[in-house]
Amino acid sequence: MNLKQLSDLLGLSQTTVSRALNGYPEVAEATRLRVETAARVHGYIPNTRARSLATGRAMSIGHVIPISTKHEMVNPIFADFIAGAGEHYARAGYDMHLIVVPDAEEARTYRALAARRNVDGVIVHAPRVHDPRLPLLREIGLPFVVHGRDSGETAPYSWLDVNNRRAFARATGFLLDLGHRRIALINGLEYMDFALRRRDGFLRALADRGIAADPALMRADEMTEPNGYDAARAMLAAPDPPTAFVVSSIISAMGVRRAIQERGLRMGADVSVIAHDDELSYFRNADGAGIPIFTATRSSVRQAGRQAAEMLLSIIEKPEPDPLTRLFEAELTLGRSTGPRREGD
Amino acid sequence: MNLKQLSDLLGLSQTTVSRALNGYPEVAEATRLRVETAARVHGYIPNTRARSLATGRAMSIGHVIPISTKHEMVNPIFADFIAGAGEHYARAGYDMHLIVVPDAEEARTYRALAARRNVDGVIVHAPRVHDPRLPLLREIGLPFVVHGRDSGETAPYSWLDVNNRRAFARATGFLLDLGHRRIALINGLEYMDFALRRRDGFLRALADRGIAADPALMRADEMTEPNGYDAARAMLAAPDPPTAFVVSSIISAMGVRRAIQERGLRMGADVSVIAHDDELSYFRNADGAGIPIFTATRSSVRQAGRQAAEMLLSIIEKPEPDPLTRLFEAELTLGRSTGPRREGD
DNA sequence: CCCGAATATCAAAGCGCTTTGACAGCCTTG
DNA sequence: CAAGGCTGTCAAAGCGCTTTGATATTCGGG
């Protein structure tokens, strides 16, 4: 069933039917009603491609997820972010287009994306420092919103991000308040912008108390469970082990917990851990009773997805001269993984 | 730069330019070369929407990911599967379209998807038993490949799946060989088809040795770390605890391991665990030395994604009367989480 | 040297929709 | 009652591409 068939059926012109369906004012209310019921009855739904060819709007948003060719990893927060964004798109009548880009072919892929005009804008995931995608997208003229920020980028752009620096400074400060002095940082890869900010926050909190950071207690790697385990195990086995950990992800924190337990120590009593919790659906940070397992800096990545979608659509639908930005504060939620430094440590 | 501009520039008709670019034989080789270089130089890339309006092919595949409204969870294997599929699409010149569907609105969403004609086919994720999506898609006439199977579906359809029944039977058999008799199953939600098959395999292996299954040792739930922990903890605290676990996911297995350690037991020595390993990029089942942590039934979900994409494209490009099916055998890889039953248990 | 086949190119129709500009018909208003 | 303003509807152009059917051009063979 296409527009022509429907309008023939109704004895109206395609123009009138199209207008009726798209809510234009110049069609009589009685006609609109007649058209709408006919459309419903016959299951008429406009062909997206024809429509977007005519309007110039693709009604589709691209999500560009970089696959690090080195590690072949997909960011685990990606699925939840997508789910959040998808909710908003569905409401707004947009489609979601996924573009999996090996970092080697970024430029080519983006140019093709823009030329082929099948998305109205993109969400940029996992920005690095001096991320080449931002100037590229600007040059191409494709609207975009970045999930995260790029400290290396000087020109303004739209982004939303959690206050990573503040969150990690607070987490570290909290551990210092508990008396800890040997605090380790298990971070993500530090060419990722968020990881750099977290590191900054960590270092700043230490510096504020006049404590020198120990490079042996800082590790940056892909945020997997085994990596968390390996890092923590090595540190705990060293001569002057940490009494507390700040960890960039719940996933690596699970590895840290394993290393702690394996050493016969109790998390929360002997060793404290604060993790960053993105509220991933498969790692709800809560025990059966709903009490958080990890003390955590918390910020829902799913919620971020919803907001990113909302921002991008608003930019596309009515472009503003100034870019949109949104900064979330992470909550610091108390769980059972932190406690005062034990005497003698 | 569009086709008209390019052909004007070259002094050729749009027809010739289009044919030259699309590899039709009726254009002189010299002309083709001239056209191709001009296209490259001026960065001409055909507008997808116009092209697919003309050809009737969307050059786009939909991935329908159900969001269980109850749990608001996104299947964690989804990201890796997508990454694998994405690789193949990129090679074949297809786009990937994501459709996040709350299970309540399935029918409506699919019908709209088909009517709007913006995908040439879909991959169905996470089939349930008697999944309504299969008959629906067949009725609509949209080509599809199911990742997994639907035991409740009698009509033939294209699918690819891992031999879950066999894998879990082997895993259980292996534990029986090691002398274990009290073996627990920590499964996924059993309205999911894969979970049901795993359960079957588990039960069959027990039955083959004449061992009665103990309902107290069987649990089906969302495969999260806390759920694995809760289930294992409860079982280990009961009067006649299991000496081994078969677990449907590496993620819940991490919870099981936690419960074991917390009880002061050693995984692999006091209690054995076999997990199903989808080779998720963030949960590589290996320690620093590359030795698997968990003994596991292993099958790469990323590889499955690649294959699913390949199957679907082949179905779309040259439809066969019979559906395509592909069954993988999971490897049973020995890690350090299994060992013989201890005396006296 | 002409004819017919093969080769290279083209004009135009069509994909299904939106949107512009025009046009009937009707109602006010002076 | 004519002029002018609304209303509701329409025909047709256009979005950028592919593809059909036709038309030049070339070439070898009789």
Side-chain angles (χ1 to χ4, degrees), chain B residues 3 18-19 24 44 51:
Chain B
L3 185 60
S18 169
R19 300 217 134 138
Y24 281 72
Y44 169 72
R51 166 180 254 174

Side-chain angles (χ1 to χ4, degrees), chain B residues 1 54 67 72 94 136 145 150 153 158 171 175 261 268 276 278 288 313 327 332 337:
Chain B
M1 169 70 56
I67 292 266
E72 286 257 314
Y94 275 73
L136 180 60
V145 166
D150 175 357
E153 178 66 40
S158 295
L175 291 170
Q261 290 186 340
H276 184 75
D278 294 294
L313 295 195
L327 186 62
L332 184 55
S337 65

Side-chain angles (χ1 to χ4, degrees), chain A residues 124 127 146-150 157-161 193:
Chain A
V124 174
V146 182
H147 179 214
R149 275 172 286 178
D150 175 358
Y157 59 94
S158 294
W159 53 263
L160 84 171
D161 199 2
D193 197 80

Side-chain angles (χ1 to χ4, degrees), chain B residues 236 242 257 259-267 270-271 342:
Chain B
L236 290 170
R257 172 176 63 195
I260 292 170
Q261 290 186 340
E262 197 176 275
R263 216 174 159 76
L265 300 167
R266 287 157 308 148
M267 182 173 77
D270 306 317
V271 179
R342 283 186 328 181

